[in-house]
Amino acid sequence: MNAEKRDRGLLRVDVDECKGCGLCVEACPPKVIGMSERLNHYGYRTATYAGAGCTGCGICFIVCPEPGAITVLRAVKRPADLGRRFDTAIAGASECTSN
Amino acid sequence: MHKQLMKGNEAIVRSAILSGCRAFYGYPITPASEITEAAALYMPQAGGVFLQAESEVASINMLYGAASAGVRVMTASSGPGISLMQEGISYMAGAELPCVIADITRGGPGLGNIAAEQSDYHQVVKGGGHGNYRTIVLAPHSVQEMADLTALAFELADKYRNPVVLLADGFIGQMMEPVEFPQRAIEPRQPEWAVAGTAETRGNLITSLHMDINDMEQHNRALEAKYRSAERHEARAEEWYAEGAEIVLVGYGIVGRILKAVTADARASGINVGVLRPITLYPFPSFNFQRLAKRARVFVVVEMSNGQLLEDVRLALNGARPVEFLNRMGGNVPSHDEVLAFVRELAQRTSSTIRPSMEQEEERVAHV
Amino acid sequence: MSNELISDYEVSHAKPKAFYERYARKEELQHQTHFCPGCGHGNVHKMLAKAIDELGIQDKTILVGPVGCSVFTYYYFDVGNVQAAHGRAPAVATGVKRSRPESIVIGYQGDGDLSAIGSAEILHAANRGEHITVIFVNNAIYSMTGGQAAPTTLIGQKSTTTPGGRNAATEGYPLHVSELLATLEAPVYIERVGLGDNKQIAQASRAIRRAVENQVRGLGFSLIEVLSPCPTIWKMSPVEAQHWVRDVMEKTFPLGVFRDRTREAQPRPLPEPEPALDQIPRILGIADKDLPDGSSAKNARAEEVDLRVRVAGFGGQGVLLLGEVLAEAGLDAGLEVSWLPSYGPEMRSGTSNCHVRLSSQTIDSPLVTIPNVLVAMNEPSLRKFDVSVRPGGWVIYNGDTFPEDCVREDVHVLALPFTQMADELGDARACNMVMLGALLEITGVLPQANIDAALHRLVKHSKWLELDERALARGRELYRESMQELAYES
Ligand SMILES: Cc1ncc(C[n+]2csc(CCOP(=O)(O)OP(=O)(O)O)c2C)c(N)n1
């Protein structure tokens, strides 16, 4: 994939931790977060990333009352020979929906 | 060790600092204020913390904080202030925090007066706060004991991780007697359970909250086991000519002193009487009562309150012997004559056998 | 190829490290908080954890938790945790911080906790300028107990205890904690922030970090009040509740900085180094080497001593000092002694008395109900205690003439105008020492050397010492003279 075309940010939601309050949906400036159709197994509709358009601003993270329900990633540029430092699996968020 | 003349209240603070106490929070109240004043003077010089709090509610919670942080800490007050501290005492017992509280009692209920009474017995010995807890209670009857039992109080507070109350009346607090102190100060300790703001103690938690009902019950069972252990090991009493006495006079604090004087006179006139003076009010020295009951005909409880000690004596004797009662309140002290007359009358009534007068016995009691 | 830039993702916002990975102290659902969806406590927790991360103080932090919905701070924060009684967090935090000044102590409280039951504790902690940080979560209601009114409940706001809405006439007005505390001198930083929208939330996070940083810098008391949604009790959706904070709550509780003295504030001075342990006895004035060894002159007399003295007079006559010199001298002579003052109401209302015992045996009771010497420094005292004197005992009375009706056949009396005699020596206030001199001469129990030693210990001012010495001598003399007179008369 061409680096220039990638989104500036990426968003992960831990569907187990999310309680579906919807504050992130309201707060997201580019409006790329919605609520899931399906309930998680605690009975909440959880936040879902639309899949594209995240700017990495982090606002969803700070309005979210749960410590780890949302993780925001930001695009960084680095020399290719350093390789990929980050593979999209995040510690503690292994059960994330990949949005 | 050299003796010097000192007020009981002042001896407490000296002994506390020697025992490694490095924090004092208090609120003034007669007749305990000298303790707070002495702490204000000496605690900072010893590298400790002194703070006059905005209330006794605040002081006891400051104790909670300091104890959580792992420091030996104390406060001092009297009836009305101890009432306000009951919340914090319950929390400290629940969270298993050690501390020492000096209660220099005055008259009550309510504002009462500032004369000496022993009417804080129930609120201190029975635990005036909420929940299943006990406080260890030590009752000094001399200035030397104010010093010695303060040191013991800190030891027991640590040993059982529980508040310990030094229960003295206004007389013991205010009077001066010769006292001597150990010449070596104890190094302030660092308990491993404390929350000290260090990497090693980061995982520690001080709380009295147990949401789970089984957890709460288990915690209470653990506290109970601790109290049972204290009951087995820490009960203390002084027996003064009590062995084999037919009339056993029972009293603590200043009353214990009067009873000794009365005993001297009564024995001189041939009445076989002795004194049992509880030094720990909780754990109550029931064992001494049971043992003396084998020979004694009757026990006489003398107190400066409305039968509060009497209840524990009755419980300890469990009906084994009759218990007579003499009390004064409001700041009146059961006088030597009053108690002596009571004992004489009782001796006649119960036709106590005549025993050799004291002069013929080992000269232990002051000549009168 | 090697220098070509590629795009990659790095975590920019994730669960702060100051939180536990899993909330093992929780009974169940250990992967999420116990807060309701949309509860502001979660946001505030997160901001605080982030500040702790950023300032690198996790090991040093001690969090003092409240009673209220946020009672379980210790479930979440991987720091030292102390759980306080309802409202008492500022007092607990004071106790912690004063003894552990190197630690970072943070109090976390709700509005019922802080502004109602704990109003005294927060006011005084702020007024003392305790070096702590307080996070104050104001949701205008008691949430944990199910929605009762708080001091911060808005006018007209319904709660289970203001079912018709808060009425100022009966419940007063919402309490403005930040404004109130900003009237005090000591606080360094006080700001009210809100969780009403993105901007407010971002500002809240900055303010909380600042309040903690102030403590890291040793500056003093900082408090951040956070207007925080409680969707459950307010019966709103989380989004509605958030808007209510901004659109309604903020009208009553305007946001802003109410105190900022972070520039002027001086970092707290380092505590004085602690004295060495072996210095403690000296500091306390109990070191053997600083004390008299009590042997100026041991009481050499063979006979038993059993002196029971009651001293009584007006406050200011030196009643207590008279007794103290006697007791101190007794101790110096190697006797058993006790001194018991009357205190309290009697003292306040102007009369004063004390019990003194000197004995060659252990002293049983320090109370002297039957004195063998009564020192009555005025007539009321004589009238009060005269009858109690043991037959064969002495009454030393400060007065020219002994009241007829107080005369007893079975006691000795020395009645003289001692005050006047002290006045002739230079100061009427030395009356107590003149009377003590007489007492010593009468009883003969103590060598003068013990008296001198006691006097030097208790009377520091040289002018007074000199006067008291003369007064004592005069007292002895007066007794001897009166005996001679008696001898002449008989
Ligand atoms: C001495 C005492 N009184 C009453 C209570 C009951 N109680 C628990 S929490 C609470 C109110 C908490 O309200 P607030 O501080 O506003 O916190 P919130 O739950 O709203 O976050 C009360 C009254 C208690 N625990 N202790």
Side-chain angles (χ1 to χ4, degrees):
Chain A
M1 194 204 267
N2 187 324
E4 312 313 313
K5 286 190 183 153
R6 289 186 147 208
D7 284 328
R8 277 181 290 155
L10 188 63
L11 163 70
R12 306 194 148 267
V13 177
D14 182 332
V15 292
D16 276 345
E17 192 172 338
C18 175
K19 291 172 181 158
C21 70
L23 290 174
C24 56
V25 178
E26 173 84 2
C28 175
K31 298 286 171 223
V32 294
I33 311 177
M35 298 304 284
S36 66
E37 289 296 312
R38 302 225 332 262
L39 304 178
N40 72 0
H41 78 273
Y42 301 109
Y44 295 122
R45 256 178 236 296
T46 57
T48 12
Y49 178 39
C54 176
T55 63
C57 70
I59 286 174
C60 58
F61 175 84
I62 65 165
V63 302
C64 173
E66 276 299 310
I70 291 178
T71 305
V72 179
L73 297 84
R74 247 182 222 154
V76 288
K77 292 194 192 318
R78 71 170 95 250
D81 55 359
L82 289 179
R84 302 211 152 197
R85 281 232 306 254
F86 189 77
D87 73 8
T88 43
I90 304 160
S94 50
E95 300 127 62
C96 292
T97 44
S98 196
N99 309 311
Chain B
M1 288 189 284
H2 293 175
K3 290 194 174 185
Q4 66 180 309
L5 211 51
M6 192 180 285
K7 275 193 173 192
N9 280 347
E10 290 164 0
I12 288 180
V13 173
R14 258 73 161 211
S15 181
I17 293 174
L18 284 175
S19 304
C21 173
R22 288 296 180 276
F24 186 105
Y25 298 92
Y27 189 88
I29 185 167
T30 308
S33 293
E34 291 86 0
I35 306 178
T36 304
E37 288 164 356
L41 183 63
Y42 292 115
M43 205 48 100
Q45 292 183 52
V49 176
F50 169 82
L51 182 64
Q52 180 175 326
E54 61 270 27
S55 69
E56 291 85 351
V57 174
S59 347
I60 193 72
N61 281 286
M62 289 169 183
L63 260 67
Y64 185 100
S68 298
V71 207
R72 278 191 164 176
V73 59
M74 77 169 295
T75 187
S77 189
S78 187
I82 301 292
S83 296
L84 282 185
M85 289 185 193
Q86 294 296 354
E87 172 196 63
I89 296 174
S90 162
Y91 273 75
M92 292 186 84
E96 298 194 82
L97 290 173
C99 72
V100 173
I101 301 157
D103 178 0
I104 312 299
T105 59
R106 53 187 251 170
L111 199 49
N113 66 20
I114 55 182
E117 256 194 6
Q118 296 182 320
S119 47
D120 282 0
Y121 188 96
H122 271 163
Q123 78 153 336
V124 164
V125 176
K126 303 296 172 180
H130 61 284
N132 306 305
Y133 79 96
R134 305 302 308 242
T135 48
I136 293 172
V137 185
L138 308 177
H141 85 325
S142 65
V143 173
Q144 187 62 54
E145 270 194 359
M146 284 290 237
D148 297 347
L149 294 185
T150 298
L152 178 65
F154 279 102
E155 251 176 61
L156 295 180
D158 270 9
K159 183 171 171 191
Y160 293 95
R161 284 186 61 181
N162 203 69
V164 176
V165 181
L166 206 61
L167 184 70
D169 49 72
F171 286 127
I172 307 291
Q174 296 290 331
M175 75 184 186
M176 285 205 283
E177 284 183 321
V179 55
E180 53 192 356
F181 294 93
Q183 293 293 301
R184 283 190 52 187
I186 292 172
E187 174 104 53
R189 71 350 176 205
Q190 280 289 351
E192 79 289 346
W193 48 259
V195 176
T198 58
E200 306 77 62
T201 63
R202 197 177 90 192
N204 289 347
L205 165 66
I206 301 295
T207 185
S208 60
L209 181 62
H210 299 268
M211 286 300 283
D212 178 73
I213 55 173
N214 292 318
D215 189 21
M216 184 82 251
E217 184 178 51
Q218 203 186 345
H219 179 58
N220 272 310
R221 296 245 181 261
L223 291 180
E224 274 307 293
K226 198 168 80 169
Y227 300 142
R228 290 295 91 78
S229 158
E231 282 164 13
R232 273 194 305 279
H233 300 114
E234 311 303 343
R236 287 168 168 78
E238 181 190 15
E239 292 183 8
W240 180 268
Y241 288 95
E243 196 67 56
E246 293 178 6
I247 300 176
V248 177
L249 306 178
V250 182
Y252 68 97
I254 190 74
V255 173
R257 301 287 292 265
I258 295 162
L259 297 185
K260 285 182 182 178
V262 168
T263 297
D265 277 355
R267 291 184 78 93
S269 64
I271 303 170
N272 183 9
V273 52
V275 179
L276 174 51
R277 175 176 70 93
I279 295 174
T280 53
L281 298 176
Y282 180 81
F284 199 70
S286 306
F287 173 76
N288 299 69
F289 283 87
Q290 285 150 14
R291 194 172 47 74
L292 293 178
K294 293 193 184 111
R295 293 284 304 278
R297 203 188 274 271
V298 57
F299 287 72
V300 181
V301 174
V302 183
E303 62 177 82
M304 284 150 62
S305 46
N306 63 344
Q308 303 188 24
L309 171 66
L310 177 65
E311 286 184 13
D312 272 343
V313 173
R314 283 195 174 134
L315 276 173
L317 287 170
N318 198 19
R321 287 291 175 270
V323 182
E324 297 282 332
F325 182 54
L326 171 63
N327 75 328
R328 294 299 304 266
M329 289 180 284
N332 285 309
V333 188
S335 74
H336 180 279
D337 290 357
E338 205 172 354
V339 184
L340 187 59
F342 190 92
V343 169
R344 288 208 167 114
E345 193 272 330
L346 184 67
Q348 245 163 26
R349 189 147 47 88
T350 61
S351 65
S352 161
T353 53
I354 304 297
R355 291 261 301 178
S357 81
M358 204 177 60
E359 280 83 80
Q360 290 153 282
E361 295 194 15
E362 175 196 9
E363 280 279 19
R364 263 177 66 208
V365 181
H367 175 80
V368 180
Chain C
M1 256 314 263
S2 68
N3 285 330
E4 192 192 329
L5 293 181
I6 64 154
S7 180
D8 200 350
Y9 288 102
E10 265 185 6
V11 173
S12 62
H13 297 81
K15 181 174 169 178
K17 300 268 183 299
F19 283 124
Y20 287 112
E21 179 97 18
R22 248 191 126 66
Y23 312 128
R25 285 178 178 140
K26 252 183 117 202
E27 266 171 71
E28 49 189 9
L29 303 180
Q30 295 181 343
H31 62 284
Q32 60 178 205
T33 66
H34 70 288
F35 295 118
C36 308
C39 171
H41 278 302
N43 297 84
V44 178
H45 277 39
K46 220 160 145 180
M47 293 168 186
L48 183 56
K50 182 165 163 272
I52 293 169
D53 276 10
E54 287 172 6
L55 295 164
I57 53 169
Q58 190 173 2
D59 281 343
K60 292 166 63 175
T61 298
I62 299 176
L63 188 56
V64 181
V67 175
C69 281
S70 49
V71 65
F72 298 120
T73 45
Y74 60 83
Y75 280 178
Y76 310 115
F77 287 89
D78 181 4
V79 298
N81 281 286
V82 177
Q83 202 288 312
H86 196 21
R88 317 296 177 219
V92 173
T94 298
V96 174
K97 182 70 178 183
R98 293 249 176 167
S99 286
R100 299 278 175 237
E102 337 69 40
S103 64
I104 303 299
V105 181
I106 301 166
Y108 188 110
Q109 299 186 262
D111 49 324
D113 196 80
L114 182 143
S115 75
I117 194 167
S119 51
E121 284 76 15
I122 191 64
L123 183 73
H124 289 278
N127 193 45
R128 291 190 301 264
E130 291 298 336
H131 286 248
I132 59 173
T133 305
V134 177
I135 309 297
F136 166 38
V137 178
N138 176 359
N139 56 18
I141 202 85
Y142 286 12
S143 298
M144 191 191 219
T145 42
Q148 300 82 8
T152 44
T153 294
L154 306 188
I155 296 295
Q157 186 183 342
K158 287 191 176 167
S159 76
T160 57
T161 49
T162 54
R166 182 178 188 162
N167 176 356
T170 45
E171 282 100 39
Y173 293 87
L175 198 65
H176 291 80
V177 170
S178 291
E179 287 87 338
L180 191 70
L181 296 183
T183 63
L184 305 174
E185 280 303 314
V188 163
Y189 196 79
I190 298 174
E191 180 171 352
R192 182 185 290 123
V193 295
L195 302 180
D197 60 29
N198 294 353
K199 250 181 80 185
Q200 285 189 3
I201 291 172
Q203 177 54 26
S205 188
R206 281 192 293 272
I208 286 174
R209 182 190 146 131
R210 216 172 147 201
V212 180
E213 195 177 358
N214 288 341
Q215 190 180 163
V216 174
R217 291 170 56 205
L219 296 188
F221 182 89
S222 300
L223 177 139
I224 304 299
E225 174 175 350
V226 187
L227 305 185
S228 174
C230 175
T232 304
I233 299 291
W234 295 355
K235 300 189 174 66
M236 296 177 195
S237 75
V239 173
E240 283 165 358
Q242 188 187 58
H243 291 167
W244 199 76
V245 167
R246 185 192 57 201
D247 301 335
V248 180
M249 245 187 123
E250 199 197 322
K251 301 269 184 310
T252 297
F253 297 111
L255 306 189
V257 175
F258 294 91
R259 166 64 55 83
D260 185 356
R261 291 196 178 153
T262 48
R263 274 172 204 279
E264 310 93 277
Q266 292 301 312
R268 148 175 45 85
L270 289 173
E272 300 265 316
E274 281 189 23
L277 268 194
D278 58 9
Q279 290 301 304
I280 298 285
R282 196 193 45 77
I283 289 169
L284 299 176
I286 56 164
D288 277 349
K289 51 182 179 299
D290 301 337
L291 291 177
D293 60 6
S295 60
S296 306
K298 283 274 180 256
N299 172 45
R301 297 158 50 102
E303 69 252 52
E304 294 270 308
V305 174
D306 184 15
L307 190 59
R308 297 162 187 240
V309 182
R310 193 74 177 253
V311 190
F314 290 131
Q317 279 188 309
V319 167
L320 300 185
L321 182 64
L322 191 168
E324 217 182 318
V325 172
L326 186 58
E328 185 78 39
L331 177 66
D332 198 66
L335 293 169
E336 297 292 334
V337 300
S338 67
W339 172 93
L340 176 68
S342 65
Y343 64 91
E346 293 182 53
M347 191 168 98
R348 309 282 135 98
S349 69
T351 71
S352 173
N353 77 80
C354 67
H355 313 235
V356 181
R357 285 195 59 181
L358 273 66
S359 174
S360 34
Q361 304 286 341
T362 305
I363 291 173
D364 40 28
S365 171
L367 288 153
V368 176
T369 38
I370 309 171
N372 44 28
V373 181
L374 168 67
V375 180
M377 298 187 72
N378 59 24
E379 195 181 319
S381 303
L382 176 72
R383 292 194 175 280
K384 191 164 174 189
F385 297 112
D386 182 47
V387 285
S388 66
V389 179
R390 183 178 290 270
W394 273 87
V395 176
I396 306 174
Y397 175 58
N398 180 25
D400 238 342
T401 45
F402 200 78
E404 280 294 325
D405 53 330
C406 289
V407 173
R408 277 175 55 182
E409 288 303 318
D410 58 348
V411 296
H412 308 281
V413 171
L414 178 67
L416 289 168
F418 287 101
T419 305
Q420 202 180 314
M421 287 159 169
D423 197 36
E424 284 162 15
L425 291 175
D427 197 319
R429 285 174 292 175
C431 170
N432 58 347
M433 292 301 138
V434 182
M435 294 186 84
L436 176 61
L439 180 149
L440 292 167
E441 192 65 22
I442 289 172
T443 59
V445 287
L446 293 170
Q448 183 61 32
N450 301 125
I451 305 291
D452 291 341
L455 216 52
H456 276 84
R457 235 168 279 147
L458 293 170
V459 182
K460 297 289 176 218
H461 200 293
S462 62
K463 181 196 127 203
W464 272 105
L465 189 61
E466 185 271 336
L467 179 64
D468 285 348
E469 278 167 349
R470 279 193 292 129
L472 281 166
R474 180 74 183 123
R476 287 183 183 277
E477 204 175 277
L478 284 167
Y479 170 66
R480 283 196 304 267
E481 284 169 8
S482 76
M483 284 299 104
Q484 277 161 10
E485 276 169 34
L486 269 182
Y488 282 134
E489 279 165 24
S490 53

